[in-house]
Amino acid sequence: MVQAIRGMRDVLPPEARRWRVIEEAVREVLHSAAYEEVHLPLLEFTELFARGVGEATDIVEKEMYTLLDRDDASLSLRPEGTASCVRALQENGLLYNQTQRVFYSGPMFRYEKPQRGRYRQFHQIGVEAFGLAGPDIDAELLALSATCWRRLGIAANVRLEINTLGAAPARRAYREALVAYLTPHQGKLDEDSQRRLTTNPLRILDSKAEATQALLAEAPRLPEFVDAESHAHFAELLGMLDALGIHYVHNPNLVRGLDYYTHTVFEWITDDLGAQGTLCGGGRYDGLVERLGGKPTPAAGFAIGLDRTALLHEVVHQDPMAAGADVYVCSLDSTQTAAVLGIAERLREATEARVRMHMGGGNLKKQMKRADACGATWAVLVGRDELDAGMLTLKHLVNGEQQTLSENEAIACIVANQFPGSSG
Ligand code: AMP
């Protein structure tokens, strides 16, 4: 048997059911805030990510799935969605003199070391807002993510960490100061940080190595480099979060791994998943549109990792999620299958219940066994007599009560989830 590629998981029931519940909840939150969905390609020119995410980031340096097209163009499976989203809106003229609030959902690919919560194909729901420079949109994005956690019943298990990186010149000045401070102590840095000293020095702040952290204790501090305007933006944002009742921790070491962030950056983190505790990350990226060839356009966004959100959801809500079907349709006359399929179709349409049609014949006992096994609340029994009379038999599988009804009466019972006059 050919097996799946390492780090590329199959998401099967019941996990897939949990994914659907989460995705639906998040979509509803985003729809309610009038964000529009976009669908973007999985493959883009490699250059888009090199320029957008940054040549010196881990993602571009060593984590992309890059391939040559048949005409020798270098393509990469998208490692994240923001660069593609900017490309798509820009290319279609949707960024010029307009504001846009959009979201997308789908798989991303990074060649990382797989472990629980970290995969080579993982799923993100990304949310981006363009053309809005104020801290109000940062606050809206954070409020929307907080609402998602509340809807999913995991709000008590996540915390918000937030920081400001300042505008690009402040970030550059800090980068230089940090490199100047760390270079004479290079030998004491952990291996990753030594490499990052020349490629992506801000990421050294993220290092978990004790010796590195000890060195950093005396290092120049980012907040001292951040420009006054950025401080004011941040202070205003924190004031809005206070007013909204959104708790946060200001973590001055939070920098995020992608190059494009400026001003606000944030992560929603849980302590319930071990090492891979970041469920969602985002921030402001005012320079990205220009960097990708567009006009300067303020922008901010975040991405929720669905895999990790589902893991946390499972820790908090251990139930396996509603499985199987709500209604099981038994066909007791094998010559009438098409007519019974028609009944099942009409029940699906009219009730929105999950209606599973029995397949493969067999006697009533066998079919009822299947109905019980799939956890259905109702069985619909259709034999020759019922079809001739234009009726069907509806049986409540929990209390055993059954009635012979017209299709419309049965639909009403299924929708009400009880027989008329019954206590359910
Ligand atoms: P990023 O695009 O790195 O800002 O990540 C945003 C979110 O995507 C993270 O908080 C994770 O939930 C999720 N994520 C990123 N990389 C992975 C991965 N390799 N496996 C699973 N989830 C990931």
Side-chain angles (χ1 to χ4, degrees):
M1 262 291 278
V2 179
Q3 301 202 324
I5 300 167
R6 195 161 120 81
M8 312 240 166
R9 293 182 317 137
D10 303 307
V11 181
L12 306 171
E15 191 184 4
R17 286 199 292 277
R18 202 178 288 282
W19 277 38
R20 192 171 58 83
V21 167
I22 295 170
E23 261 211 284
E24 279 176 6
V26 172
R27 267 168 204 278
E28 236 171 68
V29 171
L30 296 171
H31 275 303
S32 76
Y35 282 60
E36 295 271 6
E37 184 160 15
V38 294
H39 298 276
L40 307 168
L42 301 192
L43 269 179
E44 299 270 7
F45 287 115
T46 303
E47 187 192 348
L48 175 70
F49 304 114
R51 277 168 60 185
V53 179
E55 295 272 13
T57 56
D58 282 354
I59 291 178
V60 170
E61 236 180 25
K62 51 182 192 185
E63 295 175 358
M64 285 211 294
Y65 282 88
T66 297
L67 58 105
L68 284 184
D69 202 351
R70 285 175 198 279
D71 60 5
D72 283 341
S74 176
L75 310 180
S76 292
L77 279 169
R78 63 180 184 189
E80 58 101 58
T82 303
S84 306
C85 189
V86 169
R87 198 250 335 119
L89 297 191
Q90 169 71 18
E91 188 172 334
N92 290 285
L94 296 171
L95 290 181
Y96 188 65
N97 276 344
Q98 317 174 42
T99 64
Q100 296 290 350
R101 293 180 227 192
V102 300
F103 71 96
Y104 47 84
S105 171
M108 308 291 161
F109 303 84
R110 294 181 197 171
Y111 194 83
E112 291 192 270
K113 197 159 177 242
Q115 55 176 269
R116 181 173 141 90
R118 196 209 274 155
Y119 311 105
R120 289 180 175 172
Q121 174 175 330
F122 58 96
H123 196 108
Q124 285 186 343
I125 303 172
V127 184
E128 321 282 359
F130 296 94
L132 300 159
D136 44 0
I137 189 66
D138 304 18
E140 173 169 279
L141 291 166
L142 285 164
L144 289 173
S145 49
T147 303
C148 291
W149 315 136
R150 256 199 323 280
R151 290 274 173 92
L152 294 170
I154 55 174
N157 303 72
V158 293
R159 65 170 187 283
L160 173 61
E161 294 199 358
I162 187 165
N163 192 23
T164 182
L165 301 176
R171 204 181 137 143
R172 257 195 315 273
Y174 177 64
R175 185 186 147 116
E176 279 165 23
L178 188 65
V179 172
Y181 166 80
L182 288 174
T183 304
H185 306 288
Q186 244 186 76
K188 293 187 206 146
L189 292 171
D190 60 280
E191 203 180 311
D192 268 346
S193 297
Q194 290 196 13
R195 191 173 45 79
R196 285 177 175 152
L197 195 55
T198 49
T199 58
N200 198 356
L202 258 53
R203 281 302 300 285
I204 296 174
L205 301 183
D206 269 349
S207 168
K208 305 267 185 302
E210 265 176 43
T212 302
Q213 280 303 329
L215 262 181
L216 287 171
E218 304 293 320
R221 312 268 302 155
L222 173 60
E224 285 146 29
F225 286 76
V226 168
D227 49 292
E229 201 184 326
S230 203
H231 273 307
H233 181 106
F234 195 53
E236 214 181 317
L237 170 60
L238 297 187
M240 288 183 208
L241 296 182
D242 289 335
L244 287 164
I246 298 173
H247 301 291
Y248 55 82
V249 180
H250 178 194
N251 173 0
N253 285 339
L254 181 73
V255 294
R256 313 239 349 100
L258 298 81
D259 246 7
Y260 49 59
Y261 289 113
T262 51
H263 305 290
T264 318
V265 288
F266 58 84
E267 288 185 349
W268 288 94
I269 300 171
T270 180
D271 293 324
D272 298 327
L273 293 181
Q276 304 306 319
T278 304
L279 289 196
C280 168
R284 184 161 271 290
Y285 49 93
D286 290 342
L288 182 60
V289 177
E290 195 179 5
R291 193 150 133 185
L292 291 175
K295 291 232 158 35
T297 306
F302 65 85
I304 295 176
L306 188 55
D307 306 69
R308 291 183 198 170
T309 305
L311 284 173
L312 179 61
H313 192 267
E314 191 181 359
V315 168
V316 179
H317 309 281
Q318 281 159 11
D319 69 284
M321 319 297 291
D326 305 308
V327 179
Y328 198 86
V329 179
C330 304
S331 170
L332 303 175
D333 180 342
S334 58
T335 65
Q336 300 297 322
T337 304
V340 184
L341 270 172
I343 293 173
E345 271 299 313
R346 289 191 292 277
L347 292 180
R348 287 170 184 140
E349 206 159 322
T351 64
E352 290 183 7
R354 295 165 306 163
V355 178
R356 183 175 290 177
M357 171 83 190
H358 180 83
M359 299 284 159
N363 60 23
L364 177 63
K365 193 170 159 207
K366 174 179 166 188
Q367 298 196 29
M368 292 303 283
K369 234 178 163 168
R370 292 272 174 83
D372 281 331
C374 77
T377 307
W378 300 98
V380 170
L381 314 176
V382 191
R384 187 35 142 324
D385 294 347
E386 278 94 350
L387 280 174
D388 286 346
M391 306 290 270
L392 53 77
T393 297
L394 184 66
K395 178 168 182 173
H396 195 281
L397 294 173
V398 181
N399 64 22
E401 187 180 345
Q402 77 176 48
Q403 295 186 10
T404 298
L405 304 166
S406 73
E407 217 170 277
N408 284 339
E409 286 166 337
I411 285 167
C413 293
I414 292 167
V415 169
N417 203 25
Q418 61 179 33
F419 285 118
S422 147
S423 59

